[in-house]
Amino acid sequence: MTPLLDVAELSKRFPVAASGSTLKNLRRRFTRAADEQSQVHAVDDVSFTIAKGETVGLVGESGCGKSTLVRALTRLLDPTAGSIRFSTRDLSLVPARDFAKDRDRGRIQMVFQDAGESINPRFTAFDAIADPVRRLKHLSGLALVETVDKAARQCGLPTELLGRYPHQLSGGQRARVGIARAIAVEPELLVLDEPTAALDVSVQVVILKLLARLKTELGMSYLFVSHDLSVVRLLCDRVLVMYLGKIVEAGPARAVFDYPLHPYTRALVAAVPRLDGIGLAKLRLSGEPMSPIDPDPNVCRFYGRCPRGADICRTQMPPLRRAAEGREVACHFAAGGA
Ligand SMILES: Nc1ncnc2c1ncn2[C@@H]1O[C@H](COP(=O)(O)OP(=O)(O)OP(=O)(O)O)[C@@H](O)[C@H]1O
Ligand SMILES: [Mg+2]
């Protein structure tokens, strides 16, 4: 079956600004040609699919490229290379600046980490939810009011709150406005970039339950970015583990967290405290993460921190290869051959 989203060989690189007065920057500015400018390899040759109705988690440490990846595939920024097929149409061919008016714009919606910052402070909750409905569904009058009201009710927002401005709402209520605004245009894929990170723990639980309920009710697919592995394990069918711009492991969420194949996933899972005391033996990472600026394409990004690091790891980048039971891993030494 054709997946809803099929991302292939996607890369996003940012040029490193040669401004600034550090000796290194000045040396770079005067010795390098413009086409040799250094680049941050934020997302590097990433491929994955999301099926209709599937929830896929995306995890990895800060700065590994999660937000850049989701911003590229929601077309908020242009990828450097690769394709983003959404129901067979390659959205990477539509420039980011034109996507706001694109016919497929409403089919992918994004929920941001801080709903307070992503909502225009001069918009009431009603205006915030109505804005994409007006632009993408071209509704007005009573039809617009009814659509906004329905989305608000689905997200547990009482009608009385719709006249309030963001600063008059609690963090949990603002998160509900952010979700209502995204679902009001009936998307098929909801991309959530750490949607509960700005909320306190009790509100997080309520919002996560709301997201789980909406998914079942509306039959959407989710791409769920989170630092919280236990939430990803509970909420997601599959998980992608990212390290310095690359996917290093992918597979069913429970299997990946219970039996991680990649040494980085092992370290990530081992760092999560468990109430039952059962867990993987602590795996402490030593060494500094590699720089994302002009990394050597032949060296495994985890080399230098990996307890296993061998000669082959610094001469040959391990590709993401198939392992047992629908799993993939990018490590020369991980068990589970195809
Ligand atoms: N607009 C930009 N210009 C230059 N570099 C950028 C830009 N946006 C992101 N980067 C760099 O790309 C890399 C990935 O950043 P990104 O924000 O995608 O990470 P992340 O995994 O979302 O991190 P976090 O968990 O902290 O949100 C980082 O090295 C970051 O400095
Ligand atoms: Mg981020």
Side-chain angles (χ1 to χ4, degrees):
M1 211 175 79
T2 315
L4 179 68
L5 179 76
D6 187 350
V7 174
E9 295 165 12
L10 194 75
S11 294
K12 178 65 191 178
R13 296 192 279 274
F14 297 105
V16 177
S19 59
S21 58
T22 64
L23 195 59
K24 209 171 155 192
N25 277 337
L26 287 171
R27 192 174 289 142
R28 187 182 293 131
R29 189 148 37 134
F30 290 116
T31 56
R32 285 188 154 209
D35 60 345
E36 273 186 292
Q37 193 176 14
S38 289
Q39 292 182 317
V40 174
H41 292 226
V43 174
D44 194 357
D45 197 15
V46 160
S47 302
F48 65 95
T49 60
I50 300 181
K52 189 168 162 38
E54 193 180 29
T55 297
V56 175
L58 178 61
V59 300
E61 67 191 9
S62 186
C64 72
K66 304 179 297 296
S67 294
T68 306
L69 173 59
V70 299
R71 282 171 182 271
L73 63 90
T74 49
R75 309 304 293 102
L76 291 171
L77 49 83
D78 285 320
T80 310
S83 63
I84 305 161
R85 291 194 175 278
F86 187 73
S87 316
T88 73
R89 180 172 172 227
D90 188 357
L91 298 184
S92 69
L93 302 175
V94 186
R97 63 173 184 279
D98 296 340
F99 194 60
K101 293 189 208 87
D102 191 86
R103 64 185 148 98
D104 283 332
R105 175 68 188 84
R107 298 173 72 190
I108 307 178
Q109 286 289 293
M110 182 140 171
V111 176
F112 296 89
Q113 173 173 336
D114 193 337
E117 278 184 13
S118 61
I119 299 171
N120 187 332
R122 281 172 299 188
F123 277 8
T124 61
F126 180 91
D127 295 332
I129 303 170
D131 181 50
V133 182
R134 232 184 244 122
R135 279 187 293 110
L136 303 172
K137 294 242 152 197
H138 310 292
L139 295 185
S140 58
L142 191 58
L144 176 68
V145 174
E146 280 173 354
T147 304
V148 172
D149 193 47
K150 183 175 160 208
R153 268 188 286 111
Q154 281 171 320
C155 294
L157 269 176
T159 312
E160 307 83 74
L161 293 187
L162 292 181
R164 292 201 189 169
Y165 289 91
H167 72 275
Q168 297 170 318
L169 297 169
S170 71
Q173 288 163 344
R174 279 197 297 265
R176 287 176 198 268
V177 173
I179 298 167
R181 181 175 60 167
I183 64 158
V185 292
E186 300 175 317
E188 288 155 73
L189 174 66
L190 200 57
V191 177
L192 304 120
D193 192 357
E194 312 224 31
T196 59
L199 305 172
D200 73 54
V201 179
S202 60
V203 184
Q204 278 184 22
V205 175
V206 180
I207 297 297
L208 289 168
K209 281 190 178 160
L210 168 69
L211 288 169
R213 177 169 61 74
L214 287 174
K215 194 183 121 58
T216 321
E217 276 178 18
L218 306 177
M220 293 177 286
S221 303
Y222 282 179
L223 177 58
F224 186 84
V225 179
S226 179
H227 273 113
D228 193 334
L229 300 194
S230 40
V231 168
V232 172
R233 190 176 184 281
L234 271 179
L235 209 72
C236 298
D237 305 311
R238 249 173 352 109
V239 64
L240 312 170
V241 182
M242 248 182 126
Y243 187 80
L244 265 177
K246 290 209 169 270
I247 292 182
V248 294
E249 181 158 2
R254 275 164 199 246
V256 168
F257 292 140
D258 289 348
Y259 306 101
L261 297 176
H262 196 282
Y264 174 64
T265 321
R266 282 188 71 84
L268 207 61
V269 173
V272 179
R274 283 179 56 155
L275 286 177
D276 56 11
I278 310 165
L280 295 167
K282 280 266 176 282
L283 191 65
R284 237 174 244 289
L285 295 180
S286 54
E288 282 292 307
M290 199 178 279
S291 167
I293 301 174
D294 300 336
D296 187 327
N298 298 315
V299 181
C300 172
R301 297 283 159 85
F302 198 45
Y303 185 76
R305 277 180 109 189
C306 180
R308 201 54 209 267
D311 281 349
I312 189 175
C313 309
R314 58 187 172 84
T315 52
Q316 211 176 305
M317 173 71 76
L320 191 63
R321 62 177 165 88
R322 287 194 51 198
E325 301 150 27
R327 299 184 59 175
E328 290 174 295
V329 64
C331 173
H332 293 299
F333 295 101

